[in-house]
Amino acid sequence: MSSIFLRYADDEILDSGIQMPQRPLATASHHFPIDLLACGFEKYQADPTSFHAQYPWAARFVLGIPVPSWQRGLVWNAGQQSRFILAVWSGTDLGSYITNEWCGYPDAGRALAENSQILLDGQQRLHSLEAYFLDRLATPDIQGQPRLWSEIGRVERKRFLSTIFTHSSVCSDDEFLLRKTYDLCAQGVVARTHDQRAAR
């Protein structure tokens, strides 16, 4: 065992066919403001029936984005949610959330194919935003006074909504690969328990 780091091995024999894990699906990332999510949520609230007709197989919606039945439930408590909202206000890196792209129509109806446009990772963070927008969550201002979204003025709201929250996406109609991607998202960070994994 060497205690000296080398980017590449001098001895090509070390490339003996060993392969390390890799992502199951190619991922594209875009830096979008939270305002994009807020706009989608406004559309969902204006006509939830239409969303439910498009995604009849969704277990639930978070900010208007369908969540498949094989994802774990909502597990963050109010303290965790509040800390995330505080991170947005403070300009901390928010990581990313991941969705799957559109997979087409299975028939002539309005419903999209199962797993189209689903949220693969970031459900707890997006749900925190939803709770905040709906005044179900208060976050302290600079004086330490808990404040609801409805109490905040236009200038501060605009600052919050302009915060970048990276959106990553994959594109697949293969549920096994989507489940595998979901399971790998938090691997090594907050590993999901066996019962929370989708690809068992």
Side-chain angles (χ1 to χ4, degrees), residues 44-87:
Y44 171 78
Q45 283 201 303
D47 187 12
T49 304
S50 173
F51 279 73
H52 288 267
Q54 270 192 304
Y55 313 100
W57 39 262
R60 62 191 162 280
F61 291 83
V62 176
L63 283 180
I65 303 172
V67 178
S69 59
W70 39 265
Q71 271 209 38
R72 69 175 178 172
L74 299 167
V75 297
W76 275 13
N77 60 37
Q80 291 169 307
Q81 291 179 327
S82 184
R83 283 192 293 277
F84 176 72
I85 299 302
L86 186 59

Side-chain angles (χ1 to χ4, degrees), residues 16-31:
S16 59
I18 295 172
Q19 290 186 324
M20 300 305 290
Q22 55 186 309
R23 67 180 68 183
L25 293 170
T27 306
S29 295
H30 305 280
H31 303 293

